[in-house]
Every structure is written in structure tokens, then in C-alpha cells.
């Protein structure tokens, strides 16, 4: 009886070794196929050149003299929010939990939502956009954050609030370019999208509202769009920008953290 058990144990061991080497041989002969290169239609020459305006965005975003920096931020944050809502509405019927199960961007990066405690959540794209829209709408409707009455002052952390808002708006635009750009081309509205994104990014870069790591996933797109703009150095002396000290006196810079708006 002991001899039989020993024989069975030895047989099992031999089979394990054989299967192990078979598995290794199979892995070696059938390597994982490389991922297909991402299609970026928005980089095609005929697409990236499409715009609805030839406006000089560098001059357009410059802070006019005697205008409060926070007022300038507030005006643009609300305007960009409304425009991003409009362009997303164009493709919202195509952006469903089935077609867009994750909030993805170029390079298949996934954008996650963080709650007040820093816990992250993975949502489908329409769920993510709905959460972003709801929270930004609540912020811009709050008089203690976006004051509208004479004599009211902006909170010291207002710039930080705008940074977070713009970061989430960027996620929406990045998702549109990654998944729905062809829909805009079909509807012949990609010129509007390109113009909005260019304006949005020039403003963010001008006032350091986004970190480079936040938008590195669209560096190729941004480079292509920027090359179509007039050289900003040609406008030196023409900009009506306020001194940098005005900006520093009107708000306190704070680090952006991935928290709930």
C-alpha cells in the first residue's frame, strides 16, 4: 500500500514538471501580441486645421489693465463650463455606459473621481460627466465662492477652486477627443471643438491653472493646435496685462489636490 502511494506521488510530480515546462514553452512561442497603435483622427492635417475663428487667443486671454484677476478667472471659468457642457451635449447620446464604460482619454488613460476623503471611484464616462457637471454647477452658484454682488470678495483659495474646475473640464474635453472626435467630424463641428479647446488651453497655460502632467496625454494635439496660432512674441508691448503683483494680491496660490470639488 505504501509503495502504491509513493508511485502515485512520484507520477503526480512528474506530470507537474512536464506541464510546467509545456506552459513555459507555450508562453515563449506565443508572446502577447503588441497593442495596436491608437488612432488619433484629430491629428490629421485636414482635421487639426479646422477652426471657426482666427482670433489671436494669446491676446484674447490677457488680463486687461485695472481688471481684478479673480473676476477674470471667474468669468472664464463660468464661460468654459457652459461651452464644455454645450459641446458634450452634442455627443451625449453616443456617450453611454455601454459605449463608454470608463472615463478614458488619449493613451487609454482613465480619469477617476475622488471624494472628500480622497477615496477614488471608477465611473462610466456619462456618470463621471454628470458628477462633474453637478458639482461645478453647485460651486458657481455658491455666492461665497463665486460672489456676484457689489462689495463681496472672493475667497482666498479661489484660484485653487478654479484649478480644480478646469482640471475636471479638461477631462471631459480629453474624453471627447479620444472617443467622440469622429462624431464631431461627421457633424462638421470639429472646428468648434478645436477652437474651444485651443482657447481653453491657452488660458490655462497663461495663468498656470493646469500642471503639465495634467495635460501631457494631449501634448501632440496641443502642439499641433498651437503651431497654427500667431507667434505670441509678436504681440509684446501690445498686451494689456496687469502687473503680476496684482495677481498675487488678489488671491493665494494653493496646490491642486485630487479631491471633490
Amino acid at each position: 500500500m505504501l509503495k502504491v502511494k509513493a508511485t502515485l506521488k512520484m507520477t503526480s510530480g512528474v506530470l507537474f514538471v512536464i506541464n510546467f515546462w509545456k506552459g513555459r514553452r507555450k508562453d515563449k512561442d506565443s508572446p502577447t501580441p503588441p497593442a495596436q497603435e491608437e488612432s488619433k483622427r484629430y491629428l490629421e492635417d485636414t482635421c487639426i486645421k479646422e477652426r471657426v475663428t482666427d482670433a489671436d487667443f494669446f491676446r484674447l486671454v490677457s488680463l486687461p489693465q485695472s481688471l481684478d484677476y479673480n473676476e477674470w478667472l471667474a468669468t472664464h471659468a463660468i464661460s468654459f463650463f457652459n461651452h464644455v457642457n454645450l459641446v458634450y451635449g452634442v455627443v451625449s447620446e453616443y456617450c453611454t455606459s455601454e459605449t463608454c464604460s470608463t472615463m478614458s482619454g488619449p493613451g487609454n488613460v482613465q480619469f477617476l473621481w475622488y471624494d472628500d476623503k480622497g477615496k477614488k471611484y471608477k465611473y462610466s464616462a456619462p456618470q463621471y460627466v454628470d458628477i462633474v457637471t453637478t458639482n461645478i454647477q453647485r460651486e458657481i452658484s455658491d455666492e461665497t465662492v463665486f460672489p456676484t454682488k457689489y462689495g463681496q470678495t472672493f475667497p482666498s483659495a479661489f484660484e485653487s477652486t478654479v484649478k480644480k474646475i478646469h482640471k475636471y473640464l479638461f477631462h471631459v474635453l480629453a474624453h471627447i477627443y479620444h472617443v467622440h472626435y469622429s462624431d464631431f467630424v461627421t457633424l462638421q463641428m470639429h472646428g468648434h471643438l478645436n477652437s474651444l479647446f485651443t482657447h481653453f488651453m491657452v488660458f490655462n497655460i497663461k495663468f498656470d491653472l493646469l500642471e503639465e502632467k495634467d495635460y501631457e496625454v494631449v501634448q501632440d494635439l496641443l502642439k499641433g493646435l498651437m503651431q497654427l496660432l500667431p507667434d505670441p512674441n509678436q504681440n509684446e508691448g501690445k498686451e494689456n496685462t496687469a502687473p503680476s503683483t496684482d495677481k498675487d494680491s488678489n488671491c493665494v496660490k494653493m496646490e491642486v489636490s485630487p479631491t471633490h470639488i
Side-chain angles (χ1 to χ4, degrees):
M1 185 68 178
L2 291 175
K3 187 176 182 180
V4 173
K5 286 185 177 180
T7 302
L8 289 174
K9 186 174 183 180
M10 182 181 295
T11 303
S12 298
V14 172
L15 289 174
F16 171 79
V17 173
I18 292 174
N19 288 331
F20 172 77
W21 283 105
K22 277 186 177 180
R24 289 194 62 182
R25 181 67 182 176
K26 183 177 180 181
D27 292 340
K28 185 177 180 180
D29 293 343
S30 303
T32 303
Q36 293 184 347
E37 187 175 350
E38 180 183 351
S39 174
K40 297 182 177 181
R41 189 175 181 182
Y42 50 80
L43 295 181
E44 294 178 7
D45 195 56
T46 55
C47 290
I48 201 168
K49 289 183 176 179
E50 194 67 28
R51 290 189 296 166
V52 294
T53 178
D54 292 324
D56 184 344
F57 289 115
F58 291 110
R59 294 190 66 187
L60 194 62
V61 304
S62 296
L63 178 65
Q65 291 181 358
S66 303
L67 187 65
D68 181 72
Y69 173 65
N70 285 329
E71 289 280 3
W72 195 239
L73 288 186
T75 300
H76 282 78
I78 294 172
S79 179
F80 286 134
F81 171 61
N82 290 331
H83 280 84
V84 171
N85 262 341
L86 283 174
V87 296
Y88 179 74
V90 171
V91 294
S92 59
E93 62 180 298
Y94 309 115
C95 187
T96 67
S97 297
E98 290 72 33
T99 60
C100 304
S101 58
T102 60
M103 185 62 181
S104 58
N108 289 318
V109 63
Q110 292 187 13
F111 302 117
L112 303 177
W113 178 262
Y114 292 79
D115 64 13
D116 294 323
K117 298 179 180 179
K119 184 178 180 179
K120 58 186 178 182
Y121 296 88
K122 180 179 178 181
Y123 291 113
S124 66
Q127 288 176 311
Y128 188 96
V129 174
D130 182 62
I131 293 173
V132 165
T133 302
T134 301
N135 282 274
I136 294 179
Q137 184 63 61
R138 187 185 68 240
E139 286 287 334
I140 64 178
S141 300
D142 188 343
E143 287 284 336
T144 64
V145 181
F146 279 75
T148 60
K149 295 181 174 61
Y150 179 76
Q152 290 181 319
T153 59
F154 286 92
S156 60
F158 182 70
E159 186 183 51
S160 178
T161 298
V162 172
K163 284 183 175 182
K164 288 186 288 183
I165 288 175
H166 280 214
K167 187 173 183 178
Y168 287 126
L169 292 179
F170 170 79
H171 292 171
V172 177
L173 289 170
H175 175 72
I176 290 174
Y177 270 101
H178 178 57
V179 181
H180 302 292
Y181 190 78
S182 291
D183 297 323
F184 273 85
V185 174
T186 300
L187 297 170
Q188 297 184 350
M189 291 191 64
H190 52 302
H192 291 78
L193 177 62
N194 288 343
S195 297
L196 170 60
F197 185 71
T198 303
H199 188 185
F200 178 71
M201 290 306 299
V202 169
F203 187 83
N204 284 310
I205 293 172
K206 173 72 175 179
F207 297 107
D208 297 321
L209 299 176
L210 290 177
E211 297 181 23
E212 285 190 29
K213 65 180 182 179
D214 294 330
Y215 56 85
E216 63 182 356
V217 294
V218 295
Q219 282 288 3
D220 47 5
L221 170 62
L222 188 57
K223 180 180 178 181
L225 292 172
M226 291 297 186
Q227 288 177 342
L228 301 173
L229 298 179
D231 185 354
N233 294 324
Q234 294 178 354
N235 295 324
E236 288 186 1
K238 297 180 181 180
E239 294 180 338
N240 294 323
T241 55
S244 58
T245 52
D246 288 348
K247 173 181 173 180
D248 296 334
S249 63
N250 288 326
C251 64
V252 177
K253 283 196 171 184
M254 298 179 65
E255 293 295 326
V256 181
S257 57
T259 55
H260 200 287
I261 290 182

